[in-house]
Amino acid sequence: MTQTTADGAPLIEARGISKYFGSVVALEDVSMDVRAGEVMCLLGDNGAGKSTLIKVFSGVHPPDRGSLLVEGEEVSFSSPRDAMDRGIATVYQDLAMIPLMGISRNFFLGREPTRGRGPFRRFDVKFADRITREQLRRIGIEIRDTSQPVATLSGGERQSVAIARAVYFGAKVLILDEPTSALGVKQASIVLRYIARTREQGIGVVFITHNVHHAYLVGDRFTVLNHGRSMGTFERQEIGLHELERLMAGGAELEKLEAELSGGGE
């Protein structure tokens, strides 16, 4: 069940966000909010503006117009670190992992636990291995050796490790950039299953995808972008898979093309 914060505010909210790159309109008056314990799916074809919007959320791009609110408070992020400090974690397609480095090392990359003092300070291998093993076991991944390279994991397992890492380090809002785009059905199911589990922990999930079927499996609400503009936000119970697919693909354009092709075939 979706919920808001204690004072009724969404975890994160965009109000009338616009972003321009020279004469290119990347976003125009886009509004969207993410609540605790829900999966908000951000849908759109390539060039729809999905990546630009999540970069505004994650502190990469400041908006040119509009406002961004976190738990009801208007904020202005000057860097991704500002967003992370407010509990907004973004998992990009490249996962920010080092393939030949061990799983536990990657899990704590940039936030390494240490033991000892001064020149005797060193990476706390036992702590890192224990936490990594525990967190992966929670999502159904059993690792025999946490020092094995991340490259030995499947694509779905690597995505799940990146998500588990963000959750462990306190994410309130988890933004996932096309996490299933390069995966087969079996590997995608691993990621989708963990997205559902993450929602159950009260975390707000933004699932960016152009795969409507994946979105409809786990989504609670859906915001559709087309050429930088919002086509609307819909609750799951008020829109079907076919209509969502039609909106995302630009239904009017497809119907016009279908009419042209039908006429040409007569």
Side-chain angles (χ1 to χ4, degrees):
M1 177 181 292
T2 61
Q3 52 189 289
T4 52
T5 54
D7 62 357
L11 289 175
I12 190 168
E13 180 179 6
R15 292 182 181 172
I17 294 291
S18 296
K19 184 65 184 177
Y20 312 108
F21 297 99
S23 60
V24 176
V25 179
L27 296 171
E28 185 68 46
D29 194 27
V30 173
S31 296
M32 190 184 93
D33 65 79
V34 184
R35 306 166 187 166
E38 79 164 348
V39 176
M40 161 61 85
C41 297
L42 182 59
L43 303 172
D45 211 341
N46 293 333
K50 305 188 303 296
S51 294
T52 303
L53 183 57
I54 66 167
K55 286 177 179 176
V56 170
F57 277 142
S58 59
V60 176
H61 294 319
D64 292 317
R65 286 193 307 175
S67 55
L68 189 64
L69 293 85
V70 174
E71 298 179 299
E73 176 189 350
E74 187 167 344
V75 297
S76 179
F77 295 145
S78 58
S79 70
R81 173 58 63 183
D82 289 346
M84 290 175 65
D85 289 344
R86 293 301 299 262
I88 300 165
T90 304
V91 177
Y92 293 103
Q93 292 182 55
D94 61 12
L95 302 180
M97 289 188 177
I98 301 174
L100 297 181
M101 187 179 283
I103 298 168
S104 59
R105 286 275 185 170
N106 269 286
F107 194 93
F108 286 94
L109 190 63
R111 301 185 181 185
E112 291 82 359
T114 58
R115 56 187 306 180
R117 296 182 179 181
F120 300 104
R121 195 173 179 183
R122 62 195 183 279
F123 181 71
D124 193 339
V125 176
K126 288 186 178 180
F127 176 83
D129 287 351
R130 177 174 59 81
I131 294 299
T132 301
R133 198 180 301 278
E134 287 175 359
Q135 295 302 309
L136 296 187
R137 188 177 292 122
R138 289 179 63 185
I139 62 177
I141 299 176
E142 288 289 343
I143 298 297
R144 184 174 299 176
D145 181 8
T146 55
S147 66
Q148 71 187 70
V150 157
T152 62
L153 299 178
S154 70
E157 288 171 336
R158 286 197 295 272
Q159 281 284 350
S160 296
V161 169
I163 296 170
R165 178 176 65 185
V167 172
Y168 175 75
F169 283 109
K172 295 180 182 178
V173 177
L174 185 60
I175 301 174
L176 305 176
D177 182 20
E178 299 276 4
T180 61
S181 63
L183 303 180
V185 175
K186 184 177 181 180
Q187 297 305 318
S189 68
I190 293 174
V191 178
L192 293 172
R193 189 174 291 111
Y194 189 47
I195 289 174
R197 289 182 183 176
T198 301
R199 168 180 56 197
E200 292 167 5
Q201 298 178 48
I203 294 169
V205 180
V206 183
F207 178 20
I208 296 96
T209 183
H210 61 267
N211 190 315
V212 183
H213 296 272
H214 288 176
Y216 209 73
L217 278 171
V218 297
D220 298 298
R221 291 191 298 146
F222 310 90
T223 293
V224 183
L225 297 184
N226 193 314
H227 299 296
R229 291 171 172 80
S230 174
M231 305 295 288
T233 294
F234 308 90
E235 301 280 348
R236 182 185 179 87
Q237 61 267 25
E238 66 184 14
I239 191 167
L241 178 61
H242 177 72
E243 179 61 19
L244 199 57
E245 202 165 24
R246 178 183 173 279
L247 264 178
M248 180 178 156
E253 294 179 18
L254 289 179
E255 288 171 2
K256 181 180 177 182
L257 176 60
E258 184 179 6
E260 288 177 5
L261 294 175
S262 297
E266 293 179 354

